[in-house]
Amino acid sequence: MAQALLSVQIIPKTPNGEDVIPYVDRAIEVIKASGVNYRVGPLETTMEGEFDELLGILKRMNEAMFEMGCPSVMSQVKLLVGGPNASMERLLEKYPDGK
């Protein structure tokens, strides 16, 4: 399938109203374990890879939230599939350090 970028903000409903940070950290661990190129931002994390692979990682991230006891999870996703711009390096050429 095509090269893609997938940005995700995962917002789990925690079992007892706890802070979401440990849950978000677990979701990022899922991304890290996948081996894809990724970049954590303040409000979302962007992954780069094959379209189907990224969708699978997104699914595993949500499954990890349920395994931690979350009754529901909202995932806000942005997706770019194919074309020369489906590359973090290319899109960040002008602003590699975010400034």
Side-chain angles (χ1 to χ4, degrees):
M1 189 71 191
Q3 182 74 8
L5 292 176
L6 187 150
S7 293
V8 59
Q9 179 185 33
I10 195 160
I11 307 166
K13 181 173 181 172
T14 58
N16 299 304
E18 309 89 324
D19 185 49
V20 299
I21 297 301
Y23 296 82
V24 172
D25 288 342
R26 175 66 186 115
I28 293 169
E29 287 174 13
V30 171
I31 296 170
K32 186 175 182 178
S34 75
V36 299
N37 189 24
Y38 70 98
R39 184 170 183 162
V40 176
L43 297 177
E44 64 186 13
T45 299
T46 300
M47 301 180 279
E48 179 177 359
E50 290 294 316
F51 178 66
D52 289 337
E53 179 181 24
L54 298 181
L55 291 178
I57 296 166
L58 178 62
K59 181 179 178 183
R60 290 193 300 277
M61 291 169 66
N62 279 268
E63 289 169 345
M65 299 301 97
F66 291 115
E67 289 167 3
M68 292 180 74
C70 295
S72 65
V73 182
M74 181 180 359
S75 296
Q76 296 186 15
V77 176
K78 293 183 223 171
L79 184 61
L80 171 62
V81 181
N85 289 327
S87 160
M88 283 192 283
E89 183 177 345
R90 172 145 173 141
L91 291 175
L92 294 172
E93 283 175 345
K94 195 170 180 182
Y95 304 103
D97 63 355
K99 297 179 184 176

